Amino acid sequence: LKVAELNEALLLSELSYADTVDEIRNGLHNLYHHHNDNKNKPQWELLFCDTQSRPHQPSHFLAIQKNAQAWDDTLHVLVVVRGTKSMSDLITDAMMEATDYEYNVRKVVGNNE
């Protein structure tokens, strides 16, 4: 199972270098439809895609999982950012500054009475 997940992650990272929105949409479609056991494979729906890189704005796409289980209360989101492919990417890479990263999530508990 872990090898299959790694292969999917590698295919998604390669898909980030696609030149058109249609290539990305088709790649996401093929990830699901080219496996023997489709019922357990994530099926991704492309929500946003920008294939043009600009300085400080790398090419990226956003997708959500369409076929999550009904009992799964987690929203599965896929955010893929392209690495260095073009001169704009190279400029973005050269202009980067190191920044501390802090991850903080507050859990809001509702009253279910």
Side-chain angles (χ1 to χ4, degrees):
L1 181 64
K2 295 294 181 190
V3 172
E5 290 174 4
L6 178 60
N7 283 334
E8 183 173 327
L10 290 172
L11 288 171
L12 287 168
S13 67
E14 184 176 317
L15 191 55
S16 71
Y17 287 87
D19 292 320
T20 68
V21 174
D22 286 336
E23 287 178 34
I24 292 172
R25 188 174 285 118
N26 291 336
L28 291 173
H29 176 81
N30 291 339
L31 270 177
Y32 177 75
H33 290 285
H34 286 243
H35 292 279
N36 296 333
D37 183 21
N38 285 349
K39 66 181 179 180
N40 293 323
K41 286 295 295 174
Q43 186 176 10
W44 299 103
E45 179 177 352
L46 187 64
L47 295 181
F48 179 81
C49 179
D50 187 356
T51 59
Q52 299 300 313
S53 287
R54 290 167 287 292
H56 298 291
Q57 297 176 0
S59 173
H60 60 283
F61 67 87
L62 174 71
I64 60 168
Q65 186 177 352
K66 293 188 340 182
N67 63 337
Q69 300 295 327
W71 49 265
D72 187 357
D73 63 354
T74 303
L75 177 62
H76 299 271
V77 178
L78 179 65
V79 178
V80 178
V81 179
R82 184 175 79 199
T84 306
K85 179 181 178 182
S86 67
M87 187 57 84
S88 291
D89 296 332
L90 186 61
I91 292 169
T92 296
D93 294 347
M95 296 174 67
M96 288 192 318
E97 293 181 25
T99 304
D100 290 337
Y101 177 76
E102 184 177 324
Y103 181 74
N104 186 4
V105 175
R106 279 194 256 168
K107 187 173 183 178
V108 179
V109 179
N111 188 353
N112 293 331
E113 296 179 331

